[in-house]
Amino acid sequence: MHLTRTLRIILISSLFILGSLLPALIIAPVVSADPVSGETTFYFKDAINLDGSSEFDSMGMSVLVSQDPPTKQNDSEYPPLLFNGFEPNSEELAYWLAAWAIQLMGSEYGDLLEGFDILLPHPFRIVETYEHYGNESVEIKGDVAFDLYFLSEITSKFNKDEVKVCLYSINSESLIPLPKEIENTTVQLTPKLLPRIHGQKITLEDVNYTLNPGDNLLFSIEIIPGNKTLVDIVLKFAELPFFESFGEKVLDFFENRENNSEIPALQELGALIKEFRGMIEDGEFNITAEQVSEIFTAVMSSSLVYDSTSHSSSVTLPFKAPGSEDENTKVYYLHDGNEMDEEKPTKDACLDVKLLEESGNWNAPDLNRSKILTKATAYLYISHKDITLLKDKIKVTAVLLYNDNEIASSERELDNTLLDFSPPSGKITIFTFGNLGDIEITHGTHLSLNVYVSNNDTTLNLGLLRDAKLLYDSKEYPSSLKVEFEETDHIKMEVSVDPSNEKVVPGGNVKYAINITSDSEDDTVKITTSGFSEEEKEAWAIEISSESVSISKDGAETVNVIATSDTLAADGAKLEVTFVAIGSTGKDTFDAVIEVSEDAVEYEINVTVPPGRTIRHGENDTYHFKIKNKNTGIWSDDYQIEASSEHGWNLSYKKIVKNLYPTNESEEIEVTIYVPKNTNVTSDKLTFTVISENGDISKTVNVTTTIIGPNLLENLYGFFESAAESLGLDGVFGSYAPHFLVAMLFIIAFFIIIIMIFLLTTKFVKITCLERIKEIFPNEVASFEMIIKNHTRKTRSYEITSLLNSESPKWTTSLDLKKITLEPGKSKPMVLMVKPTDLVKPDDWAELNIAVNVEGKKKSEKMATMTMIKGAKAELSFGSVFHWPKAFKEGDRITSSFKLENKGNASASNVSVALYVNNEEKNKVEDITIPAGGYADIKIPWIAIKGKNEIEIVVR
């Protein structure tokens, strides 16, 4: 049954007012919570996020849970409190109404939104996200524990609500990120009569799920309202006749407060009612009675309380979240024996310090490395009561000490509990230490925590009116000190990288030269890697030259690191590793990101050059070049082929090679060269170039072609062919034009040859000699008788000369005629006389040419004669020898003189005379020539020796 318009307005406005008044009637007691939890506890943040303190996931769909405990004092609730007293929480109300509108729309379009409804705002449900930033999968195996707080009103304490918790996964990197349910459970809330807010643990048991990179976890907490009797009573009452007119007057009254009231809260309430009435009257917000009942029930139902120091609702998962372990963030839990360390308490029973009677002191472990203290916060569970009226509030002071010296303190006041009827319990109290000033905590020293009451006054206390205890060392009360450090800069790394872009090919490496310095003290520095997973170790190898180096103060040492990729590494494979230098005085890191990339390829081209070829003119031949991709890496390359002839001859070849991989295989390129028919070139250089299209390199080689030119006949034929073409004979005789031209030239040449033969064979004079060779004694004369005849038909004059074969003083010649004139057919005798001189030698001979020159003609007639010597002989002799001085002694210069005569009929040449003293040659005269009948005066100097000088002269 549909309600009337007025009844709907009255009901909605009334439930908002009633919902705002009920929370104000009861004082909320103190409830304990664990703000500093274990390694995988996530705290729920304000889902409405009005103050902007919450962060959203990468998809912008929901708020991210946090690993840090809440620090704000005021609670967040969902469903939210719509009124703070009589003042409406307008923004929370607007968000909640929008969630209702989306929920109502979803009921109409449920098929379209199926699977995505968990991501949409809901009036009873919050959904928050954990984003998995790790590069490796994480196993979630075990119980997932929700530690939640709920606010339950009176109606919910009797008609109990339920809560449904769900765990989902969603892959933010998928095309359609669809949530996938992992586990869920629904339990009934178990509120007590007092207080209004109670805690309840809910467990998803035996969860088994693998969280892969890119996966997110969604945590859903949904209130399922129980049946509310009060809602049914109100709805029945709203159906009475008089209620409509009364309700209209009430709404008019509050609506008029928008402009007539000076109270801001009433102005906002009036504006809200006016806006509601307008929406319903315009049909923008048309709801049924059942939906009105659901809204009324929601206001009367329980709410999740979270995101505050008092009520830090959380969920704990059984896995180590990446980033949850930060070596520079320490949580020291307080333990017995004045010690605190990072081991979380496991005991059920707690220890306590009665702060009104004593102070608490705890020492942290010594640091193994010097660090800078940047932030410190103490989370202390304090149980107290203070029902005094005239005393100041209890003030608790926490002091942070280093080397027993105070470096910071924080003070908190404990509220008066006079009106708090709940039993005392440990409430977390946060002490934040400010103004730390970046204090350096050196290695081998530690921090200390001291807690005490600064205004302790036990007068008339007796433990009945006032008490304060610090609870610690138990699972329920894990009081702790959280400190955050930064690394010192005493140890520094300066890194040079080769190659600088850190990109390699499969099997390649990157070399790091790490220069490490220490400016504080002598230190031993270890060099390690961080983030080098087992999976990466299978694909990469890291070699460190020295894993530990000793460095003196202000000194430096260099460590070389080589990171090598696997030879089978895929393109795009990455190694993200951190090199860490750790010493006692500090730490430094260097992040290396090495990638297998084509950018790291070193390009090289190998070309196998074929041997040069010999090609006849007018023919062609093919060269077979082989190219290989010698690039580093695994990637193929494309090549552009260019070839050119030195003389611009035609070539044919393949111009592009695609996808040639760096293997032992080669690509064969055939280049055919065409040699022109009419060429005089004897060789041609072929240039072959291979250009890489991926790399900025090329390779050029050359090969020489030897050309066999045309032979003589081919040249002649070519000449005649060209000549015939020039003369235009080809137009008449066609292809026979060269033959015709050759025939014509042959005929012409024949006649020319006949003429030349005639001219060459015509003689202008005739020389006759019957005996042209004579043999004579050296003292005789050779006489050659010759006849000169005019062989022509004209009178001609002749000039006669004799020519020896070489100029020689050994012969003399004479002619009885040197110039004559003869009529045609006439002749005249002539005598040539040849006489040897005294210089003639045995076996000498002389060739003499007679030349008859015709006046007016260049042509002459010649005849050769030969004269030989017989019976020629040289006879040498010498007379007495004269020595001067005649008397001499050892060392004197003596000259021996004598005359050497040639009594033969032939000249003696190349004569040598040697002088010997006591059979030892002392001097010598050579190259002596003595003509027949002549002589030579010989003088030979020599040096006297001691004793007898026996002289011997030898002539050769």
Side-chain angles (χ1 to χ4, degrees):
M1 177 183 70
H2 291 279
L3 296 176
T4 62
R5 176 183 58 81
T6 302
L7 287 179
R8 283 180 283 163
I9 296 173
I10 292 172
L11 285 174
I12 294 174
S13 301
S14 299
L15 65 90
F16 288 150
I17 296 173
L18 181 60
S20 67
L21 294 178
L22 285 176
L25 298 177
I26 303 175
I27 300 175
V30 177
V31 180
S32 65
D34 183 3
V36 184
S37 60
E39 67 278 10
T40 55
T41 295
F42 301 101
Y43 297 88
F44 293 99
K45 303 292 289 183
D46 185 3
I48 301 179
N49 193 30
L50 297 177
D51 59 0
S53 61
S54 301
E55 296 181 4
F56 281 86
D57 62 11
S58 57
M59 295 188 296
M61 299 296 293
S62 62
V63 169
L64 290 172
V65 294
S66 172
Q67 295 187 47
D68 295 326
T71 57
K72 64 188 185 75
Q73 301 297 316
N74 57 305
D75 292 329
S76 294
E77 298 90 3
Y78 200 87
L81 295 181
L82 307 181
F83 284 85
N84 185 10
F86 287 98
E87 185 174 339
N89 295 324
S90 302
E91 293 179 334
E92 286 86 346
L93 177 60
Y95 180 90
W96 196 61
L97 289 176
W100 268 108
I102 293 174
Q103 177 66 15
L104 295 175
M105 181 179 66
S107 62
E108 297 182 12
Y109 302 98
D111 294 340
L112 296 177
L113 299 176
E114 184 178 0
F116 292 97
D117 56 335
I118 190 69
L119 301 175
L120 302 177
H122 192 281
F124 295 105
R125 178 178 63 219
I126 68 168
V127 177
E128 299 195 358
T129 303
Y130 162 69
E131 287 192 323
H132 178 49
Y133 295 107
N135 295 323
E136 298 181 355
S137 299
V138 174
E139 294 292 333
I140 303 176
K141 195 170 185 178
D143 295 342
V144 176
F146 288 80
D147 193 358
L148 308 175
Y149 296 88
F150 298 95
L151 185 152
S152 298
E153 304 298 351
I154 296 296
T155 54
S156 295
K157 294 181 184 295
F158 297 101
N159 297 290
K160 296 181 179 181
D161 302 320
E162 292 180 328
V163 61
K164 180 180 180 181
V165 295
C166 295
L167 180 65
Y168 294 86
S169 69
I170 185 171
N171 191 305
S172 60
E173 298 177 356
S174 62
L175 183 61
I176 303 177
L178 187 65
K180 177 183 177 182
E181 184 178 288
I182 300 173
E183 193 62 69
N184 76 84
T185 187
T186 302
V187 298
Q188 190 177 66
L189 295 180
T190 57
K192 298 178 182 179
L193 188 59
L194 287 176
R196 291 171 60 227
I197 299 177
H198 73 281
Q200 190 162 338
K201 296 184 182 296
I202 305 171
T203 302
L204 298 177
E205 297 180 349
D206 298 329
V207 174
N208 190 351
Y209 182 75
T210 300
L211 189 63
N212 296 312
D215 284 350
N216 296 340
L217 292 178
L218 302 181
F219 306 100
S220 168
I221 305 172
E222 180 179 350
I223 303 294
I224 302 175
N227 294 325
K228 302 296 187 288
T229 305
L230 180 59
V231 175
D232 297 334
I233 295 174
V234 172
L235 291 177
K236 292 294 183 183
F237 180 74
E239 294 178 358
L240 298 177
F242 74 90
F243 186 77
E244 181 174 359
S245 60
F246 174 75
E248 289 282 0
K249 293 178 181 179
V250 171
L251 295 179
D252 290 340
F253 171 80
F254 281 107
E255 185 176 337
N256 291 333
R257 296 308 95 192
E258 178 184 11
N259 300 318
N260 298 329
S261 175
E262 297 180 357
I263 303 175
L266 291 179
Q267 292 177 359
E268 291 187 18
L269 181 60
L272 179 64
I273 292 175
K274 181 178 180 181
E275 183 177 358
F276 249 157
R277 294 177 77 177
M279 292 171 62
I280 293 177
E281 289 174 355
D282 295 340
E284 296 178 11
F285 195 61
N286 186 24
I287 58 176
T288 64
E290 290 79 5
Q291 292 169 340
V292 170
S293 175
E294 289 180 8
I295 296 175
F296 207 115
T297 300
V299 175
M300 304 295 293
S301 300
S302 301
S303 295
L304 173 69
V305 184
Y306 62 110
D307 196 20
S308 69
T309 58
S310 300
H311 305 106
S312 52
S313 293
S314 64
V315 58
T316 301
L317 281 80
F319 76 97
K320 285 278 188 180
S324 62
E325 290 185 337
D326 182 0
E327 63 174 343
N328 283 333
T329 299
K330 304 288 186 182
V331 178
Y332 296 125
Y333 296 97
L334 279 52
H335 295 295
D336 191 13
N338 302 111
E339 300 291 337
M340 55 180 174
D341 57 33
E342 295 183 81
E343 185 175 352
K344 189 173 181 181
T346 58
K347 297 184 294 185
D348 293 328
C350 70
L351 301 178
D352 63 68
V353 176
K354 297 178 175 59
L355 296 177
L356 295 180
E357 300 176 7
E358 59 180 332
S359 64
N361 296 280
W362 292 269
N363 296 320
D366 291 344
L367 293 182
N368 57 9
R369 182 170 72 251
S370 300
K371 296 187 178 185
I372 303 297
L373 180 63
T374 60
K375 187 176 180 181
T377 306
Y379 298 89
L380 305 178
Y381 289 86
I382 297 177
S383 173
H384 82 285
K385 68 177 178 177
D386 185 5
I387 57 176
T388 60
L389 295 175
L390 303 178
K391 289 182 178 291
D392 293 336
K393 294 181 179 179
I394 300 173
K395 295 181 180 179
V396 179
T397 300
V399 179
L400 186 64
L401 302 100
Y402 169 54
N403 285 341
D404 297 328
N405 296 317
E406 178 179 332
I407 57 176
S409 64
S410 178
E411 183 180 83
R412 293 294 302 274
E413 289 185 346
L414 304 182
D415 294 334
N416 189 286
T417 60
L418 180 62
L419 300 178
D420 188 354
F421 301 108
S422 60
S425 60
K427 175 184 178 182
I428 192 166
T429 305
I430 300 176
F431 296 83
T432 302
F433 300 101
N435 300 321
L436 294 177
D438 293 338
I439 299 173
E440 181 175 339
I441 312 300
T442 60
H443 61 94
T445 62
H446 61 266
L447 295 171
S448 300
L449 179 67
N450 176 238
V451 184
Y452 62 91
V453 172
S454 56
N455 61 341
N456 188 10
D457 184 1
T458 59
T459 305
L460 300 177
N461 180 23
L462 301 178
L464 298 176
L465 303 178
R466 216 176 201 191
D467 189 20
K469 295 180 182 180
L470 193 159
L471 310 179
Y472 67 100
D473 201 16
S474 71
K475 290 189 294 185
E476 187 174 4
Y477 302 113
S479 293
S480 62
L481 171 68
K482 182 179 181 181
V483 292
E484 296 181 16
F485 297 102
E486 289 181 356
E487 296 294 343
T488 68
D489 60 357
H490 297 316
I491 292 179
K492 293 181 180 178
M493 292 195 300
E494 293 184 0
V495 183
S496 60
V497 186
D498 181 27
S500 59
N501 61 4
E502 297 183 281
K503 293 182 178 181
V504 298
V505 299
N509 60 60
V510 179
K511 298 177 181 178
Y512 300 89
I514 305 175
N515 186 58
I516 306 173
T517 59
S518 174
D519 65 2
S520 176
E521 59 183 69
D522 294 351
D523 205 347
T524 298
V525 179
K526 294 182 178 180
I527 297 87
T528 61
T529 59
S530 175
F532 193 28
S533 66
E534 293 299 324
E535 181 179 352
E536 289 174 329
K537 289 179 181 179
E538 295 180 359
W540 299 84
I542 296 180
E543 179 183 349
I544 302 175
S545 62
S546 299
E547 295 185 353
S548 178
V549 292
S550 296
I551 305 176
S552 58
K553 181 181 178 181
D554 297 326
E557 292 290 339
T558 299
V559 175
N560 296 309
V561 178
I562 300 177
T564 306
S565 71
D566 187 78
T567 54
L568 299 178
D571 184 17
K574 280 187 178 182
L575 172 63
E576 297 182 5
V577 65
T578 300
F579 298 114
V580 185
I582 302 177
S584 299
T585 59
K587 169 185 175 182
D588 197 11
T589 60
F590 171 75
D591 294 327
V593 180
I594 309 172
E595 181 182 1
V596 175
S597 171
E598 192 172 356
D599 295 340
V601 171
E602 295 179 3
Y603 290 89
E604 182 182 353
I605 304 171
N606 178 269
V607 179
T608 301
V609 185
R613 292 182 176 274
T614 300
I615 308 175
R616 291 184 59 83
H617 71 103
E619 298 181 358
N620 63 76
D621 205 344
T622 300
Y623 287 101
H624 299 269
F625 295 88
K626 291 184 178 180
I627 64 173
K628 283 187 179 181
N629 178 349
K630 301 295 287 185
N631 302 344
T632 59
I634 59 175
W635 297 273
S636 66
D637 202 351
D638 299 337
Y639 298 96
Q640 180 179 348
I641 310 299
E642 295 181 356
S644 62
S645 164
E646 178 184 4
H647 296 91
W649 295 344
N650 291 333
L651 304 172
S652 64
Y653 57 93
K654 180 180 180 181
K655 295 179 173 58
I656 295 293
V657 175
K658 292 286 188 180
N659 298 323
L660 185 59
Y661 285 86
T663 61
N664 291 326
E665 297 181 0
S666 60
E667 179 81 8
E668 185 173 271
I669 304 297
E670 296 182 350
V671 180
T672 301
I673 182 170
Y674 298 87
V675 179
K677 182 178 181 181
N678 300 318
T679 180
N680 295 322
V681 175
T682 58
S683 67
D684 181 81
K685 182 172 69 175
L686 174 65
T687 301
F688 181 81
T689 302
V690 183
I691 304 172
S692 169
E693 293 192 357
N694 296 336
D696 188 19
I697 67 164
S698 64
K699 183 67 175 289
T700 299
V701 296
N702 298 304
V703 63
T704 300
T705 303
T706 301
I707 311 301
I708 300 176
N711 54 33
L712 180 60
L713 293 177
E714 290 175 329
N715 282 329
L716 286 174
Y717 183 82
F719 170 77
F720 290 123
E721 186 177 34
S722 177
E725 184 178 352
S726 300
L727 295 173
L729 298 178
D730 56 334
V732 178
F733 298 99
S735 61
Y736 295 101
H739 304 85
F740 173 79
L741 182 60
V742 169
M744 293 299 297
L745 291 176
F746 181 78
I747 294 172
I748 295 173
F750 175 77
F751 285 106
I752 291 174
I753 291 172
I754 294 298
I755 295 171
M756 290 180 65
I757 291 173
F758 173 79
L759 293 176
L760 290 174
T761 56
T762 299
K763 292 185 177 182
F764 296 97
V765 64
K766 180 178 180 182
I767 304 173
T768 305
C769 181
L770 299 177
E771 188 178 4
R772 291 188 293 174
I773 299 175
K774 290 192 175 185
E775 186 176 15
I776 64 176
F777 288 100
N779 55 356
E780 294 180 342
V781 176
S783 177
F784 296 93
E785 296 180 356
M786 300 180 183
I787 298 175
I788 307 299
K789 184 178 182 180
N790 184 355
H791 201 61
T792 65
R793 297 179 181 180
K794 292 182 180 181
T795 301
R796 298 187 182 275
S797 296
Y798 303 95
E799 185 177 353
I800 305 168
T801 59
S802 62
L803 300 173
L804 283 171
N805 56 344
S806 63
E807 292 185 4
S808 174
K810 299 178 181 181
W811 307 89
T812 60
T813 62
S814 63
L815 289 170
D816 61 346
L817 291 177
K818 291 187 178 180
K819 189 172 183 180
I820 59 174
T821 300
L822 296 176
E823 294 179 355
K826 298 297 182 176
S827 63
K828 191 172 185 178
M830 179 192 71
V831 177
L832 170 66
M833 307 293 289
V834 180
K835 181 180 181 179
T837 67
D838 293 341
L839 297 177
V840 71
K841 293 186 295 183
D843 300 328
D844 274 351
W845 58 274
E847 181 181 358
L848 185 66
N849 289 317
I850 298 299
V852 180
N853 297 316
V854 182
E855 289 184 356
K857 301 293 183 181
K858 293 182 178 179
K859 186 177 179 182
S860 65
E861 188 72 16
K862 293 180 180 179
M863 176 177 286
T865 64
M866 178 72 70
T867 303
M868 294 183 293
I869 295 297
K870 65 179 178 177
K873 181 179 181 182
E875 295 181 4
L876 299 177
S877 65
F878 62 90
S880 61
V881 179
F882 176 75
H883 305 284
W884 181 261
K886 294 182 178 181
F888 53 84
K889 61 182 180 296
E890 178 185 4
D892 287 348
R893 185 174 187 274
I894 311 300
T895 302
S896 297
S897 304
F898 61 92
K899 180 183 289 186
L900 183 61
E901 291 181 300
N902 183 4
K903 296 180 179 182
N905 59 3
S907 176
S909 61
N910 296 326
V911 178
S912 65
V913 179
L915 185 143
Y916 291 82
V917 179
N918 297 337
N919 296 322
E920 181 180 353
E921 183 179 305
K922 292 297 184 176
N923 205 344
K924 187 177 185 180
V925 179
E926 294 181 314
D927 294 331
I928 301 172
T929 300
I930 302 174
Y935 66 91
D937 289 328
I938 306 299
K939 293 182 179 182
I940 302 177
W942 54 277
I943 304 299
I945 62 176
K946 183 178 180 181
K948 183 179 180 181
N949 290 262
E950 186 173 324
I951 305 302
E952 183 181 3
I953 297 175
V954 178
V955 178
R956 296 187 179 89

